[in-house]
Amino acid sequence: MAVVQDVHGHGHDDHHPTGIMRWVCTTNHKDIGTMYLWFSFAMFLVGGFLAMGIRAELFMPGIQILEPELFNSFTTLHGLIMVFGAIMPAFVGLANWQVPMMIGAPDMAFARMNNWSFWILPVAASLLVSSFFVPGGAAAGGWTFYPPLSTQGGMGVDMMIFAVHLLGASSIMGAINIITTILNMRAPGMTLMKMPMFVWTWLITAYLLVLVMPVLAGTVTMLLTDRNFGTSFFNAAGGGDPILFQHIFWFFGHPEVYIMILPAFGVVSEIIPTFSRKPLFGYSSMVYATASIAILSCVVWAHHMFTVGMPTVGQLFFMYATMLIAVPTGVKVFNWTATMWRGSMTFEVPMLFSIGFIFLFVIGGFSGVVCAIVPIDIQVQETYYVIAHFHYVLVSGALFAIFGAVYYWLPKWSGRMYDEKLGKWHFWLCMFFFNLTFFVQHFLGLAGMPRRVPDYALQFADFNMVSSIGGFGFGLTQLLFLYIVIKCIRSGEKAASKPWDGGTTLEWTLLLLHHIIALKHLQSLSNSVREVWIHRAIKLKK
Amino acid sequence: MSSKSVATRVGAVLLTFYSGLAMSSKYNFPEPQSAIAQDVYDQHIFVMWICLAIFIAVFGVMFYSVLKHRKSLGYKAANFHHSTLVEIIWTAIPCAILIVMALPATKTVLAMKDTSEPEITIKITGYQWMWGYDYLQGEGEGISFYSKLSTPRAQIENKEPKGENYLLEVDNNLVVPVGKKVRVIITANDVIHAWWVPAFSVKQDAIPGFVRDAWFKADRIGIFRGQCTELCGKDHGFMPIVVEVVEPEKYAQWVSEKQKTSASAMTTAALN
């Protein structure tokens, strides 16, 4: 009882610093979720700026803006920042906001670690960005930083390695937090097979993160010691093997791809039923499909390496395993279609982004199957075809799902509605410019344009110009998104506590005010008192 | 607009677009110049047809639903959410399709890997940033030279108009005879490069400290161009590959010329 007395003895706000310290010290999952999302948007703009640089250089043949070495730094940092700085933190931000609300938990399991896992990110990001200004410039060996190329290069590469270490540590902490929250803090009665799909996909994603992030940490550490302490893990002259790096990197790297897309599947699996006003078709098969994708994703890594010259049996194994992933992925697409079938659909912005997601993700899936087939992959490996493929799954896949999620939950987060008309503009401009940018890159790749080149032969000129125009358009369109979000937060119309009539998950049934008050108390209460509060909250919800 | 006419129009657009793909090499692989490349080309077209069929089937259903099952049309939502039979069917069908795709691919992989009994063997070494060619075995044995980008710097810096083969031209072409099986042994001197000639469907990473091999047999004479496809530093985009396929007689002539010049170079070196 001492704890309770203590709480009553002080004012409730005593424990909550104000101003900037409120954000630095916060352990509230909503605050932390907000910080994750704003951070990822900031990094999205930085990565986008680098993309604009790349597209500007490739606008015409010849070297105009970026010298080759700087161009390579741009592509390298664009990849790293978008993957580790924009897409992944955005999904962790969504998880922070939504997972506790969707399972009826008062906060994340490890609230203080949650704070720490966020605040590592800005440090890592500043290392990455500031590496442009050290002697030798930023890392220029591609986001995959294959040695021996990455053993060349200056201090920028070491800064990148350290940044990757930090980002990995942050991801592992975030993942452990999410796993513990989901497994231990679900409201009574919410069995695993009753969890919302978004929670399921994040649970599986978090396990993938815990599995592969340490592998990445290991491989970058080996690279670090190769560079600085005279080891020869990846140096043939010292008895090492450069291909070993690729195997370890992709053992991380392929599950990483699914780390970025599984939560997107979860988001879409929430939005489609809501706006179809019909329950998700094949819930349990969706769960199994997600799990099988996650498991398969751990045994397909070498399909990124079909041209290194591996044994025939190896090539065939990785080809078959990779093609197999198309099956559970197909099941998901069919289930979404069946969810929409005979629904009563409306097409608000979240729904538009979800349908756009399915449409374009399937195109990315098709080019994925094309890439899985070894003889064809040998032609398209390291060409613009691959660039087109993974931008279809990561931009119109992961990113579109994040946009959808933000529009879907923004009324919940801010208590205000976004501007529907502007949101629709945002969607259609995204669709148009995205396809303008990346569809033509399939042709560039097939016709033989390698990736990561600052200059190209004349037959690639017109498609590159089209792609650059699309890229600039897509970049500018995102400023509209920023405007829509700010406008919503500052002056949007007041949203109902359940703005979407088809929403069924727990976050829409929480009493907003009650939840906030409860949270303020809960953070400083002992476990037994917390239990009482949770039960009371659940009773109220009913 | 009725959903039928929409479907017809979308179908027509896709088909036109697709035949565009198949016809011009600007939208597709360059014209194949070897049996393997032909296989790869055909398989790609085959896979694209399958993808197109699935695309039309899936999105036909989805967009029919999008058009018809709208709240604004007063459509009331059904409430079904599960069917084990349907799930089994749409798991089994993709499996079958994948097997159909994997069979020809497996054959081609086996053929690509068969580097036995070559008529000519050439060792290729990647350098930052050029290629080295050493003829190890067969007609032309002993020939050895480097092959560097020959596009003038001024063209890259936009001070001169760009030539027809901008960035795809070298000082010394790799010369091989038509219709002979050429095995290439590939390695690198510094970092990883990759040797790629699209017309032959040969792409092999060049790995420092290790050797890998690949092979091709050119069906037609001509000049075929490719590029390094593994990021290898600042001039990665500036180390092209040019293979000149010639008649056997012309090849013999080229070999004797090359051997003469290298012999005279050696004599000069010895005399000095």
Side-chain angles (χ1 to χ4, degrees), chain A residues 3 29 37 45 63 66 74 89 135 140 174 191 245 248 288 306 312 339 352-353 406 424 441 451 477 507:
Chain A
V3 185
H29 72 105
L37 288 168
L45 293 185
I63 298 292
L66 302 172
F74 265 52
T191 57
F245 175 90
I248 309 176
Y288 299 138
F306 280 148
T312 316
T339 306
L352 289 178
F353 270 107
V406 169
K424 287 206 162 104
Q441 292 185 2
R451 64 191 281 204
T477 303
E507 75 271 31

Side-chain angles (χ1 to χ4, degrees), chain B residues 115-123 133-143 175-177 180-185 251 255 259:
Chain B
T115 52
S116 62
E117 294 168 25
E119 286 156 285
I120 294 176
T121 304
I122 304 170
K123 180 180 147 216
Y133 298 111
D134 299 275
Y135 288 62
L136 295 186
Q137 169 260 320
E139 192 181 1
E141 190 177 322
I143 295 175
V175 181
V176 294
K180 296 261 167 71
K181 184 168 183 177
V182 180
R183 176 183 179 225
V184 287
I185 298 179
Y251 179 71
V255 166
Q259 279 166 344

Side-chain angles (χ1 to χ4, degrees), chain B residues 164-202:
Chain B
E164 190 197 346
N165 293 314
Y166 176 69
L167 294 189
L168 294 178
E169 51 201 350
V170 294
D171 51 2
N172 299 307
N173 295 348
L174 178 70
V175 181
V176 294
V178 68
K180 296 261 167 71
K181 184 168 183 177
V182 180
R183 176 183 179 225
V184 287
I185 298 179
I186 300 176
T187 185
N189 189 52
D190 31 49
V191 300
I192 301 175
H193 304 265
W195 195 82
W196 180 36
V197 180
F200 304 139
S201 246
V202 172

Side-chain angles (χ1 to χ4, degrees), chain A residues 308 310 342 381 455 462, chain B residues 26 69 113 166 203 212:
Chain A
V308 298
M310 69 180 99
R342 294 183 53 210
Q381 163 104 19
D455 196 5
D462 41 2
Chain B
K26 191 168 179 171
H69 305 155
K113 284 285 182 183
Y166 176 69
K203 185 186 283 157
R212 298 283 197 263

Side-chain angles (χ1 to χ4, degrees), chain A residues 61-64 68-69 72 140-142 146-149 152 236 240-243 246 276-282 284-285 307-312 315-316 319-320 323-324 326-327 331 333-335 337-338 340-347 355 358-359 362-363 366 369-370 373-376 378-383 439 443 446-448 450-459 462-463 501, chain B residues 17 21 25-30 40 43-44 47-48 51 54-55 58-59 61-66 69-72 75-83 86-87 90-91 94-95 98 101-102 105-106 108-110 112-113 128 153 155-158 162-164 166-168 190-192 196-199 201-205 207-210 212 227-238:
Chain A
I63 298 292
Q64 291 91 7
E69 188 68 15
N72 289 345
Y146 285 179
L149 184 61
Q152 301 177 347
D241 182 351
I243 302 306
Q246 298 185 19
S276 304
R277 291 165 185 78
K278 199 166 148 276
L280 182 68
F281 187 86
S284 48
S285 78
T307 62
V308 298
M310 69 180 99
T312 316
Q315 283 194 334
L316 292 177
M319 172 169 79
Y320 300 147
M323 290 172 83
L324 216 51
V327 176
V331 166
V333 173
F334 301 143
N335 277 328
T337 312
M340 290 159 73
W341 186 253
R342 294 183 53 210
S344 173
M345 278 187 271
T346 50
F347 302 92
I355 296 174
I358 300 177
F359 188 72
V362 165
I363 294 180
F366 285 147
V369 173
V370 170
I373 296 170
V374 174
I376 307 178
I378 285 177
Q379 280 288 51
V380 298
Q381 163 104 19
E382 290 286 319
T383 67
F439 200 80
F443 303 136
L446 291 174
R451 64 191 281 204
R452 295 166 165 170
V453 291
D455 196 5
Y456 47 82
L458 299 181
Q459 70 259 36
D462 41 2
F463 282 148
D501 59 325
Chain B
F17 181 70
L21 277 186
S25 74
K26 191 168 179 171
Y27 302 94
N28 202 342
F29 288 136
V40 172
Q43 276 173 40
H44 178 245
V47 171
M48 288 306 280
C51 289
I54 301 173
F55 187 88
V58 172
F59 290 106
V61 173
M62 186 181 287
F63 283 103
Y64 176 83
S65 181
V66 164
H69 305 155
R70 290 168 169 253
K71 198 184 177 195
S72 56
Y75 200 89
K76 291 272 179 293
N79 195 31
F80 61 89
H81 52 77
H82 183 73
S83 163
V86 170
E87 300 279 357
W90 68 36
T91 309
C95 286
L98 288 178
M101 287 190 206
T106 306
T108 312
V109 170
L110 295 176
M112 279 174 145
K113 284 285 182 183
Q128 283 177 318
R153 197 77 216 154
Q155 287 191 13
I156 298 170
E157 286 161 359
N158 311 306
K162 295 174 176 35
E164 190 197 346
Y166 176 69
L167 294 189
L168 294 178
D190 31 49
V191 300
I192 301 175
W196 180 36
V197 180
S201 246
V202 172
K203 185 186 283 157
Q204 173 58 54
D205 289 2
I207 303 154
F210 292 85
R212 298 283 197 263
Q227 282 178 271
C228 176
T229 47
E230 185 61 59
L231 179 60
C232 57
K234 96 181 148 65
D235 283 347
H236 164 55
F238 305 92

